[in-house]
């Protein structure tokens, strides 16, 4: 196991099993008693909007004072967070969860007023802050990154780990290569503008890191709201938000130079480093508390190695049943699948959970040959994803209203944990083992697991057994 993955995966494992974290942020395995839809827990629209606007007004006042003062914007924000705790950010995060259906994600709460702002780029803010000296030193090793973050070709978002985040690296950890370090730094940068409100209504964020294994789209981050507050990739907490870098851009208009407000990005401070994720197969093996049954099945059938072979696919989506999902199966079916007689059936069943070359995040979709990050609109979205089980697809429905997202597979299995970001795609944790439907009068019929017998399971998988190699 690579040491660079240990800290984030340990934190991720904790996020998977904390019951309170599950209820608030929807990042845990389905409870024994099925929870209701997220939409059922909404307060009234007027109340939500009022609460959110009240919190935003407080934040706006804070950042107005910061911008008007001569103090360093990033330092002041972090000082404020340390001095007051997280009361303001908690209010925004708590109301943001409910209000996400109605928030305009393009709103920028960091740009109130037209007072004299600090005339610094995002790199200059990082380089001159007393809290990000280690990050600044790392970026300075790569002149092209300095040029990028000083440029005005885009409005960048930088998730900036403070100096204390670097202290979490074990003293005996090997020094990373320059290539890995650059990838890690690019993973902290998005080429798109994500102020606080947009982060609150977004599940995944594209980064400046591109990797062949995820397909033609950029590697992404996930954002989550839970007991830790607003986090990135489940484990890194955002401790300062909306540090907007503003520049004066000189424009020649009718031979008269005029000043125009401009910006080249926004910074959010983090308490932990972000590490580019491992492959999906590695994540499954790193979390036996949730996926030991799935790992056993993938290993027994040879699929684990096949999935981990990134030369055979570009991106992909793994619909991963948890240990609890396997426990829902009748005992006779589980015993048959994991017996020597049922191995071929087990492989066919698990192939039905794997989508190659198409990566479906909760709010973005990478096809095999194209990327449309706006392809999952607000409202209801449907897509059929072809699986490794030849001729069989999964019918996926995404109900998306800002941050409130519900994903169902084949109309009955719910995605309990969304957007497990992997180097070669994404993991969507499902509440049930997915069973290929039975065709009756040209219609596909799904059944609940308790209704399924061994013979019926064999009948459904029999057409594919001759093609299965072990």
């Amino acid at each position: 196991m690579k040491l660079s993955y240990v800290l984030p995966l340990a934190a991720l494992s904790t996020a998977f099993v904390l019951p309170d974290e599950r209820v608030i942020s929807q990042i845990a395995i389905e409870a024994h008693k099925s929870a209701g839809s997220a939409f059922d827990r909404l307060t009234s629209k007027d109340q939500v909007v009022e609460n959110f606007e009240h919190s935003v007004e407080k934040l706006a006042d804070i950042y107005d004072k910061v911008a008007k003062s001569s103090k360093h914007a990033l330092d002041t924000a972090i000082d404020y967070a340390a001095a007051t705790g997280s009361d303001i950010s908690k209010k925004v995060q708590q109301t943001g969860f409910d209000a996400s259906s109605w928030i305009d994600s393009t709103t920028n709460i960091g740009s109130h007023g037209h007072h004299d702002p600090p005339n610094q780029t995002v790199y200059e803010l990082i380089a001159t802050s007393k809290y990000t000296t280690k990050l600044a030193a790392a970026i300075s090793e790569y002149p092209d990154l300095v040029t990028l973050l000083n440029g005005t070709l885009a409005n960048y978002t930088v998730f900036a780990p403070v100096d204390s985040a670097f202290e979490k690296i074990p003293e005996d950890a090997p020094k990373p290569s320059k290539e890995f370090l650059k990838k890690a730094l690019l993973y902290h940068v998005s080429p798109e503008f994500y102020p606080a409100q947009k982060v609150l209504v977004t599940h995944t964020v594209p980064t400046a890191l591109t990797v062949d294994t995820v397909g033609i789209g950029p590697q992404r981050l996930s954002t989550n709201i839970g007991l830790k507050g607003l986090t990135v990739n489940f484990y890194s907490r955002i401790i300062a938000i909306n540090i907007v870098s503003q520049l004066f851009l000189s424009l020649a208009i009718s031979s008269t130079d005029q000043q125009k407000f401009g910006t080249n990005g926004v910074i959010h401070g983090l308490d932990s480093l972000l590490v580019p994720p491992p492959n999906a197969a590695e994540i499954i093996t790193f979390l036996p508390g949730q996926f030991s049954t799935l790992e056993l099945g993938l290993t027994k059938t040879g699929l684990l190695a096949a999935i981990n072979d990134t030369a055979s696919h570009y991106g992909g989506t793994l619909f991963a049943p948890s240990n609890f999902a396997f426990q829902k199966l009748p005992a006779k079916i589980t015993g048959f699948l994991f017996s020597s007689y049922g191995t071929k059936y087990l492989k066919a069943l698990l192939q039905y959970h794997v989508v190659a070359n198409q990566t479906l995040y909760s709010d973005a979709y990478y096809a095999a040959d194209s990327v449309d990050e706006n392809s999952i609109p607000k409202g209801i979205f449907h897509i059929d994803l072809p699986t490794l089980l030849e001729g069989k697809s999964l019918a996926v429905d995404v109900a998306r209203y800002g941050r409130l997202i519900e994903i169902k597979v084949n109309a009955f299995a719910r995605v309990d944990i969304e957007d497990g970001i992997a180097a070669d795609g994404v993991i969507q944790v499902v509440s049930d083992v997915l069973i290929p439907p039975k065709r009756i009068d040209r219609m596909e019929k799904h059944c609940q697991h308790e209704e399924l017998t061994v013979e019926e399971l064999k009948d459904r998988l029999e057409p594919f057994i001759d093609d299965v190699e072990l």
Side-chain angles (χ1 to χ4, degrees), residues 117-435:
N119 188 23
Q120 292 180 299
T121 65
V122 288
Y123 173 73
E124 290 169 339
L125 281 170
I126 292 169
T128 56
S129 170
K130 63 184 179 182
Y131 292 109
T132 54
T133 60
K134 295 181 179 180
L135 176 61
I139 295 174
S140 68
E141 294 290 319
Y142 305 91
D144 55 334
L145 289 184
V146 175
T147 301
L148 179 75
L149 298 179
N150 273 328
T152 56
L153 295 179
N155 282 327
Y156 302 100
T157 301
V158 180
F159 294 92
V162 296
D163 287 346
S164 58
F166 289 81
E167 296 171 3
K168 297 180 181 181
I169 301 174
E171 293 182 1
D172 57 350
K175 185 177 180 179
S177 65
K178 289 203 69 173
E179 180 184 10
F180 177 83
L181 181 56
K182 185 173 183 179
K183 288 182 178 180
L185 291 172
L186 287 170
Y187 194 52
H188 289 77
V189 178
S190 175
E192 299 183 19
F193 192 56
Y194 278 83
Q197 278 120 323
K198 191 172 181 180
V199 173
L200 285 171
V201 298
T202 300
H203 275 228
T204 67
V205 176
T207 72
L209 176 62
T210 56
V211 290
D212 294 337
T213 52
V214 82
I216 63 174
Q219 185 59 269
R220 301 181 81 85
L221 301 167
S222 69
T223 65
N224 314 275
I225 298 178
L227 291 180
K228 291 183 178 180
L230 184 60
T231 59
V232 180
N233 283 2
F234 295 101
Y235 60 86
S236 185
R237 188 166 63 93
I238 294 180
I239 57 176
I241 61 172
N242 271 16
I243 312 304
V244 179
S245 166
Q246 293 170 314
L247 300 170
F248 292 110
L249 304 181
S250 180
L251 299 179
I253 303 177
S254 302
S255 302
T256 303
D257 286 342
Q258 298 185 6
Q259 298 291 330
K260 181 183 177 182
F261 240 170
T263 176
N264 90 322
V266 63
I267 299 171
H268 304 301
L270 300 181
D271 72 348
S272 299
L273 291 164
L274 301 175
V275 179
N279 291 342
E282 294 178 83
I283 294 175
I284 295 300
T285 61
F286 289 158
L287 298 172
Q290 300 302 329
F291 300 118
S292 58
T293 309
L294 176 61
E295 181 190 359
L296 176 62
L298 292 173
T299 302
K300 185 180 179 69
T301 58
L303 283 175
L304 189 69
I307 293 173
N308 204 33
D309 180 12
T310 55
S312 64
H313 64 93
Y314 293 96
T317 308
L318 173 60
F319 290 91
S322 64
N323 291 339
F324 180 61
F326 277 99
Q327 291 171 14
K328 290 182 179 181
L329 289 174
K332 288 184 178 180
I333 288 181
T334 304
F336 167 72
L337 288 172
F338 285 89
S339 70
S340 57
Y341 302 103
T343 304
K344 282 193 173 184
Y345 294 90
L346 176 62
K347 183 171 184 177
L349 181 64
L350 293 180
Q351 285 177 325
Y352 189 56
H353 292 73
V354 182
V355 177
N357 304 319
Q358 299 189 49
T359 307
L360 180 68
Y361 302 95
S362 61
D363 54 6
Y365 171 59
Y366 295 177
D369 55 359
S370 64
V371 173
D372 183 359
E373 297 187 35
N374 298 315
S375 58
I376 302 183
K378 294 179 180 178
I380 306 297
F381 172 80
H382 176 85
I383 187 170
D384 293 316
L385 297 175
T387 70
L388 294 186
L389 191 63
E390 188 174 356
K392 287 294 183 179
S393 296
L394 296 173
V396 181
D397 293 289
V398 181
R400 180 181 177 218
Y401 300 93
R403 181 151 204 96
L404 301 181
I405 293 180
E406 190 165 69
I407 304 175
K408 285 193 174 181
V409 184
N410 290 346
F412 78 94
R414 185 164 56 86
V415 171
D416 284 330
I417 306 177
E418 303 150 355
D419 304 321
I421 305 295
D424 55 348
V426 67
I427 299 172
Q428 305 289 3
V429 182
V430 287
S431 60
D432 296 272
V433 176
L434 306 175
I435 309 292

